[in-house]
Amino acid sequence: MSYVHHVEHFHGLPVLTVPPYTRATELPDAASVAWCLRTGPYTSDEDYWDRFTSTVELEKVRALVLGHGAHYMPDQLLIDLSSRLVGLEALFLGDLEDEEEMISSIGQSDLAPLLEAFPGLRELAVRGGDGLDFPVTGHAGLRVLRVESGGLPPEAAAHIAAADLPSLERLELWLGDDEYGGGTTVEQLAPLLAGERKPALRHLGLQNSPIQDELAAATASAPVVPRLTSLSLSMGTLSDEGGEALLHGQPLTHLKELDLSHHFLSHAMMLRIWTALEPAGVRVNLCGRNEADEDEWGEWAGAGEEFGNGGRYIAVAE
């Protein structure tokens, strides 16, 4: 199963890739679509960008997706257009698939200047963690933040956890493997789990982690959990140890959804979790059960490194 693919809808709008050659009269209303900038092998990135800014009514643009080619244009180009992109509500940085570039190689940067330039931003999605940082003390309007990474730099994760985001309702972090720049610890996420700096949070995703059992144990007693309507601990190395922590922690029956997909739970543990939560109306996603990888001699493949702890592995790394 591929977890990394081009977005077809973003911020509730259909995504429209800007054609390399077009007239303004041939384009839809600027507010009706999420505009995707994606250059091909025969398109000049600079000419493509200039054509977009000269043919699309930027003042009405609500959502912008930066794909292949356009993603590597300097952030300053966007910042310089902030006086025209006055209605921008949503931004997706790095909408690339594996065939274009592996997620571990997608470069990002310090996001603080972009967030400062667009105080009206409501949704921010980022794919790739190489060079990413989030040294933001706060942003009043951001409601959705999603970071997809095979290795989210721990400093960036810590900054996100500590940021004051009073309007944030949905947060998803693919923490990734330390082999690809990850390595975030539970301690670095403590301000997030405490729940004080993101009072509007209703969905939390701490995903794609080789320490998924530790995260499960931490969320089992985290003050932020009672206010959530959905929780995702998917894509990681969750085993019966983490499942046991969830069952013995604070009640989760208030949740509408618990996503544990891509896991290493035993059938018995899956049944226990389902029995505890499904009758209370919680939609429990237990799809994608995996077996820990062993080599032909019965030893754990990767010695617990490439394949995580005890032959377990995360969904997205390289």
Side-chain angles (χ1 to χ4, degrees):
M1 174 181 179
S2 175
Y3 289 85
V4 181
H5 50 80
H6 291 150
V7 291
E8 297 181 357
H9 289 82
F10 181 55
H11 198 57
L13 299 169
V15 173
L16 175 66
T17 299
V18 180
Y21 305 105
T22 190
R23 299 174 182 174
T25 55
E26 299 171 341
L27 296 174
D29 180 76
S32 66
V33 299
W35 295 94
C36 178
L37 292 160
R38 192 185 314 281
T39 61
Y42 305 109
T43 307
S44 164
D45 294 349
E46 186 174 345
D47 290 345
Y48 184 67
W49 179 263
D50 290 343
R51 181 171 291 275
F52 167 69
T53 58
S54 62
T55 56
V56 175
E57 194 174 354
L58 296 186
E59 289 74 12
K60 296 175 65 176
V61 170
R62 295 174 54 204
L64 194 57
V65 177
L66 299 187
H68 184 268
H71 166 63
Y72 285 103
M73 302 184 79
D75 292 347
Q76 191 61 44
L77 286 175
L78 261 183
I79 294 172
D80 290 344
L81 286 175
S82 60
S83 61
R84 293 182 61 193
L85 288 166
V86 292
L88 188 67
E89 300 173 353
L91 182 61
F92 192 122
L93 302 174
D95 181 31
L96 287 82
E97 294 184 333
D98 289 343
E99 292 76 10
E100 296 168 314
E101 189 160 353
M102 302 302 291
I103 193 170
S104 60
S105 301
I106 300 176
Q108 294 293 347
S109 60
D110 180 341
L111 299 181
L114 270 177
L115 287 169
E116 183 177 355
F118 295 99
L121 207 62
R122 297 291 179 265
E123 181 171 358
L124 177 61
V126 181
R127 181 172 294 161
D130 188 21
L132 179 69
D133 201 1
F134 197 93
V136 178
T137 55
H139 190 284
L142 199 63
R143 296 174 184 171
V144 180
L145 176 60
R146 176 181 175 91
V147 182
E148 302 177 357
S149 173
L152 178 60
E155 186 177 40
H159 284 152
I160 292 171
D164 288 311
L165 302 172
S167 300
L168 194 70
E169 299 172 0
R170 294 185 61 86
L171 174 63
E172 296 184 25
L173 301 177
W174 296 12
L175 298 171
D177 196 284
D178 54 6
E179 292 288 326
Y180 295 96
T184 300
T185 65
V186 170
E187 290 73 21
Q188 289 171 311
L189 298 173
L192 169 61
L193 297 173
E196 298 174 356
R197 299 178 184 180
K198 299 168 182 63
L201 197 65
R202 295 298 176 265
H203 171 79
L204 175 61
L206 297 176
Q207 303 161 242
N208 199 44
S209 174
I211 61 165
Q212 209 71 56
D213 284 341
E214 293 180 44
L215 292 173
T219 56
S221 60
V224 72
V225 170
R227 76 168 66 120
L228 300 178
T229 58
S230 55
L231 172 66
S232 178
L233 298 172
S234 64
M235 303 172 61
T237 60
L238 187 71
S239 71
D240 283 7
E241 179 183 343
E244 200 72 52
L246 291 174
L247 288 173
H248 285 86
Q250 61 189 311
L252 300 176
T253 51
H254 67 287
L255 295 174
K256 293 182 178 179
E257 183 174 3
L258 175 64
D259 186 359
L260 303 178
S261 57
H262 182 95
H263 60 83
F264 294 82
L265 300 169
S266 66
H267 290 292
M269 179 58 70
M270 291 170 64
L271 180 60
R272 289 177 61 194
I273 293 173
W274 189 91
T275 302
L277 297 177
E278 284 281 354
V282 184
R283 295 192 303 272
V284 183
N285 187 346
L286 291 168
C287 295
R289 180 180 181 272
N290 299 283
E291 294 282 355
D293 281 332
E294 296 181 65
D295 63 22
E296 61 182 306
W297 295 282
E299 297 177 352
W300 296 120
E305 297 174 359
E306 181 181 356
F307 291 90
N309 297 326
R312 290 175 283 138
Y313 51 89
I314 62 176
V316 178
E318 186 178 5

